[in-house]
């Protein structure tokens, strides 16, 4: 596998100083809107850190997601955690399911499979209700706290997506489990890590993507223990089995990082409602404080992730090609 670095030269210099600090500049607004992708590609949306009852940028972004799905063939939505701020949900009948999800992502083209994972905010409520919501909504497909699925891509390729549950892999949530994250204590760290290892070991697909809520590498003011725990526990598994992209949320901004010794593209997908400032660090290829969502597009020869702002401008592209 080799990485197409053309976009480094085109984007890194122009965007690093303008998009990584404060609000997006005028240069952001000159980017082209994503309106088409090769019709033979396999495409899906990544959205996370959503639940603001439609406020801030949540509703406009939801509309852009639906309109894009009208224009290109979207197979599913990967919801990378924190669908519900701030205390999760109490049950499958919690009104937040309507105000955070059903009434917001109501575009007809978004009535397709959503593959979610739990974020730290879901763990502040009833996590079992998040899993059980699939019994209420036919588009909510969550067979377990972590799971995997393989997809046919193009004429001769396949895509393996592995959804994982990162909150229990981080020590701080276990320390706070009695007070704030009650379901964390009952989760077995080693059992999930063994499952991730076994799943990736058996994965022989052309492309391999792992989706979790927390970042392995990122610029953030959040507790460093979060990244250190995942760098120690998760990252060695990702590297061992040649994962192409690790995609997460949690930080509420866009980041793309490459780190020494790893061939993985580490992607932080921004918030679909309310974002935060971001600055470049060692390994940063691109970052932006814009709200929005991402689209992943796979073909026989390329795997591409488009970072899109709330008006669907393409801020950055992560592309991998086959030898």
């Amino acid at each position: 596998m080799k990485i197409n670095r053309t976009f480094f030269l085109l984007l890194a210099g122009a965007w690093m100083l303008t998009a990584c600090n404060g609000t997006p500049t005028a240069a952001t607004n000159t980017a082209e809107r994503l309106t088409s992708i090769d019709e033979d590609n396999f495409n899906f949306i990544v959205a996370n850190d959503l639940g603001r009852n439609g406020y801030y940028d949540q509703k406009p972004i939801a509309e852009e997601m639906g309109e894009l799905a009208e224009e290109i063939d979207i197979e599913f939505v990967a919801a990378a955690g924190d669908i519900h701020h701030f205390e999760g949900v109490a049950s499958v009948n919690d009104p937040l399911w309507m105000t955070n999800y059903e009434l917001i992502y109501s575009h007809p083209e978004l009535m397709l499979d959503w593959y979610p994972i739990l974020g730290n905010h879901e763990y502040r409520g009833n996590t079992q209700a998040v899993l059980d919501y699939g019994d209420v909504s036919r588009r909510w497909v969550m067979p377990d706290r972590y799971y995997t699925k393989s997809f046919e891509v193009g004429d001769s390729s396949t895509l393996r997506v592995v959804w994982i549950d990162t909150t229990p892999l981080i020590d701080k949530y276990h320390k706070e489990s009695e007070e704030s994250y009650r379901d964390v204590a009952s989760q077995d760290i080693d059992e999930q890590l063994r499952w991730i290892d076994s799943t990736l070991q058996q994965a022989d697909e052309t492309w391999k993507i792992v989706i979790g809520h927390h970042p392995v590498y990122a610029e953030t003011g959040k507790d460093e223990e979060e990244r250190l725990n995942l760098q120690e526990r998760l990252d060695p598994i990702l590297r061992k089995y040649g994962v192409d992209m690790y995609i997460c949320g949690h930080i509420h901004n866009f980041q793309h990082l490459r780190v020494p010794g790893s061939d993985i593209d580490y992607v932080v997908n921004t918030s679909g409602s309310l974002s935060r400032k971001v600055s470049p660090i060692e390994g940063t290829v691109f970052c932006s404080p814009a709200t929005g969502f991402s689209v992943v597009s796979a073909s026989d020869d390329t795997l591409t992730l488009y970072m899109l702002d709330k008006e669907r401008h393409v801020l950055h592209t992560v592309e991998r090609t086959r030898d």
Side-chain angles (χ1 to χ4, degrees), residues 44-59:
F44 67 90
I45 287 173
V46 181
N48 48 265
D49 298 279
L50 306 174
R52 304 279 179 169
N53 294 295
Y55 283 84
Y56 305 99
D57 290 333
Q58 188 183 12
K59 185 62 175 176

Side-chain angles (χ1 to χ4, degrees), residues 120-131:
N120 53 296
H121 282 283
E122 274 81 22
Y123 266 98
R124 295 180 70 92
N126 182 346
T127 56
Q128 188 59 48
V130 181
L131 276 74

Side-chain angles (χ1 to χ4, degrees), residues 4 20-21 33 45 82 94 130 147 159 184 196 212 221 228 254 257 259 311 317 319:
N4 184 323
C20 278
N21 297 284
R33 280 169 53 87
I45 287 173
D82 283 2
D94 194 314
V130 181
Y147 55 97
L159 167 68
V184 168
I196 296 170
L228 293 178
F254 282 121
L257 296 98
V259 300
E311 296 175 338
T317 302
E319 184 175 88

Side-chain angles (χ1 to χ4, degrees), residues 267-283:
V267 175
V268 179
N269 187 54
T270 192
S271 168
S273 55
L274 184 64
S275 65
R276 302 187 181 106
K277 294 181 179 180
V278 60
S279 299
I281 59 172
E282 182 180 3

Side-chain angles (χ1 to χ4, degrees), residues 24-216:
T25 66
T28 302
N29 297 325
T30 65
E32 293 186 3
R33 280 169 53 87
L34 182 66
T35 57
S36 64
I37 295 178
D38 191 306
E39 62 180 13
D40 294 327
N41 284 17
F42 181 96
N43 311 309
F44 67 90
I45 287 173
V46 181
N48 48 265
D49 298 279
L50 306 174
R52 304 279 179 169
N53 294 295
Y55 283 84
Y56 305 99
D57 290 333
Q58 188 183 12
K59 185 62 175 176
I61 290 171
E63 288 300 308
E64 287 291 345
M65 288 167 57
E67 290 176 13
L68 179 62
E70 274 191 314
E71 296 170 15
I72 66 176
D73 187 17
I74 296 294
E75 303 295 334
F76 61 85
V77 176
D82 283 2
I83 291 86
H84 300 287
H85 285 85
F86 291 88
E87 302 297 325
V89 290
S91 70
V92 296
N93 299 313
D94 194 314
L96 287 177
W97 284 109
M98 297 301 293
T99 59
N100 276 339
Y101 180 59
E102 299 289 358
L103 296 178
I104 306 301
Y105 303 95
S106 56
H107 194 287
E109 296 299 324
L110 295 180
M111 298 299 148
L112 40 63
D113 288 343
W114 285 58
Y115 294 104
I117 52 173
L118 299 168
N120 53 296
H121 282 283
E122 274 81 22
Y123 266 98
R124 295 180 70 92
N126 182 346
T127 56
Q128 188 59 48
V130 181
L131 276 74
D132 291 344
Y133 193 65
D135 296 332
V136 176
S137 172
R138 62 182 298 176
R139 62 176 170 162
W140 191 261
V141 184
M142 191 175 184
D144 214 327
R145 292 170 188 265
Y146 44 91
Y147 55 97
T148 186
K149 191 172 179 63
S150 182
F151 304 91
E152 297 292 327
V153 172
D155 296 325
S156 59
S157 300
T158 50
L159 167 68
R160 168 70 60 179
V161 183
V162 182
W163 286 266
I164 65 173
D165 186 15
T166 54
T167 303
L169 302 180
I170 296 170
D171 292 339
K172 62 173 283 187
Y173 296 111
H174 289 267
K175 298 171 188 174
E176 301 174 20
S177 62
E178 290 187 8
E179 180 179 348
S180 301
Y181 302 97
R182 293 176 295 277
D183 287 352
V184 168
S186 61
Q187 307 308 310
D188 189 320
I189 295 176
D190 292 332
E191 181 179 347
Q192 182 180 179
L193 292 174
R194 285 193 296 269
W195 179 88
I196 296 170
D197 189 291
S198 175
T199 298
L200 290 174
Q201 182 182 40
Q202 297 174 53
D204 59 359
E205 284 77 11
T206 312
W207 308 108
K208 288 179 280 189
I209 294 175
V210 175
I211 299 177
H213 181 64
H214 294 80
V216 178

